[in-house]
Amino acid sequence: MTTDITIYHNPECGTSRNTLALIRNAGIEPHVVEYLKTPPSRALLEQLIGRAGIAPRALLREKGTPFADLGLGDESLDDDALIDAMMAHPILINRPLVVSPLGVKLCRPSEEVLDLLPEPQRGAFAKEDGEQVIDDAGNRVGARGEHR
């Protein structure tokens, strides 16, 4: 299986940085797309949403975006209108979105990426806030320190 992985990344986002670090902790150097500098095309964004099996609304980011100013909380807006908003304001695209041979997923929390990695973790990993996610043997640790 190939380890061709792409992360749609925002280096200003802690969750995105943690997700990228978990990918690298598996010995994989992903293709990093800073989507605010290089937004996906509409066709690609629609494909990613479809492959992730989510609705466009599930990919919308509210915090630190023009979500409220644009009235995007209006449940009557259709998928096309939401995608139009994401195309006009890429900051509305939640992150990190990860594409791997095992699927596409919005990795919030960052540990969600572990389901997409074809390679095991190579050692201990703690998030930027100090939360231990992977132990010294490369095994996933639960929220209270128990192994999963």
Side-chain angles (χ1 to χ4, degrees), residues 100 102-103 105 107 110-118 140:
S100 97
L102 300 176
K105 189 180 257 195
C107 294
S110 54
E111 301 92 295
E112 292 289 319
V113 77
L114 296 172
D115 297 334
L116 295 177
L117 300 178
R140 189 170 179 172

Side-chain angles (χ1 to χ4, degrees), residues 43-98:
L44 178 57
L45 183 61
E46 289 173 341
Q47 179 190 62
L48 292 170
I49 290 167
R51 289 180 61 199
I54 60 176
R57 185 167 295 283
L59 192 59
L60 273 176
R61 181 168 178 82
E62 293 183 39
K63 184 179 172 187
T65 74
F67 180 92
D69 293 341
L70 296 172
L72 297 176
D74 180 349
E75 294 292 330
S76 71
L77 292 173
D78 66 11
D79 290 351
D80 283 336
L82 300 177
I83 292 172
D84 288 345
M86 286 187 261
M87 294 308 302
H89 306 277
I91 192 73
L92 288 165
I93 301 170
N94 213 340
R95 73 277 181 157
L97 197 58
V98 177

Side-chain angles (χ1 to χ4, degrees), residues 7 9 13-25 94-98 105-117 121 125-134 140-141 148:
I7 179 172
H9 178 61
C13 172
T15 301
S16 198
R17 290 191 304 269
N18 285 324
T19 301
L20 178 57
L22 278 165
I23 295 168
R24 289 177 170 156
N25 197 48
N94 213 340
R95 73 277 181 157
L97 197 58
V98 177
K105 189 180 257 195
L106 175 61
C107 294
R108 299 191 73 80
S110 54
E111 301 92 295
E112 292 289 319
V113 77
L114 296 172
D115 297 334
L116 295 177
L117 300 178
Q121 294 289 291
F125 179 82
K127 291 183 182 183
E128 291 179 0
D129 66 4
E131 179 187 348
Q132 192 73 30
V133 177
I134 305 294
R140 189 170 179 172
V141 175
R148 290 194 206 178

